[in-house]
């Protein structure tokens, strides 16, 4: 069963965690797209999204859409496009967190 954040502080914490994950994953993906570390980072991102997709749908739908595109690109071996979508997701999150 999925646990949803109970309040705004928890939602913000989830968004900040996802933002931090993206801040680390993007340059790593650019530098070493085929590395085990990048695969692990993408798996961690995927877990976060799977656990929080309902909240992201409500609070950050553009972020979620960009992340889904990124994983589609990652699955087809297109790391540059994946990185571009992760950057877009990072920007969307930054805008939400800075508002």
């Amino acid at each position: 069963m999925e646990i949803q954040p109970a309040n705004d502080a928890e939602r913000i914490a989830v968004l900040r965690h996802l933002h931090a994950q993206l801040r680390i994953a993007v340059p790593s993906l650019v530098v070493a797209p085929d590395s085990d570390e990048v695969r692990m980072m993408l798996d961690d991102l995927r877990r976060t999204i799977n656990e929080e997709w309902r909240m992201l749908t409500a609070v950050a739908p553009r972020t979620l859409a960009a992340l889904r595109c990124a994983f589609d690109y990652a699955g087809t071996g297109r790391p540059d496009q994946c990185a571009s979508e992760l950057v877009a997701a990072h920007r969307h999150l930054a805008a939400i967190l800075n508002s």
Side-chain angles (χ1 to χ4, degrees):
M1 174 184 235
E2 181 178 347
I3 298 173
Q4 290 295 310
N7 60 41
D8 287 341
E10 289 178 12
R11 286 185 187 97
I12 296 294
V14 169
L15 294 175
R16 284 187 177 146
H17 174 70
L18 183 56
H19 191 255
Q21 286 179 292
L22 289 167
R23 188 174 41 241
I24 294 166
V26 171
S28 300
L29 179 63
V30 171
V31 172
D34 296 324
S35 70
D36 290 338
E37 291 82 7
V38 168
R39 279 189 283 281
M40 288 179 1
M41 286 179 201
L42 292 177
D43 287 344
D44 286 344
L45 271 170
R46 201 174 274 119
R47 267 190 295 282
T48 301
I49 294 160
N50 288 340
E51 291 170 2
E52 302 296 343
W53 71 270
R54 284 192 178 113
M55 186 272 295
L56 291 169
T57 299
V59 176
R62 292 175 66 194
T63 301
L64 183 58
L67 290 167
R68 287 182 173 155
C69 285
F71 289 121
D72 287 345
Y73 285 130
T76 60
R78 298 164 66 186
D80 292 340
Q81 291 86 353
C82 176
S84 292
E85 292 296 335
L86 293 178
V87 167
H90 185 269
R91 280 193 214 130
H92 295 309
L93 280 175
I96 292 167
L97 290 169
N98 292 324
S99 63

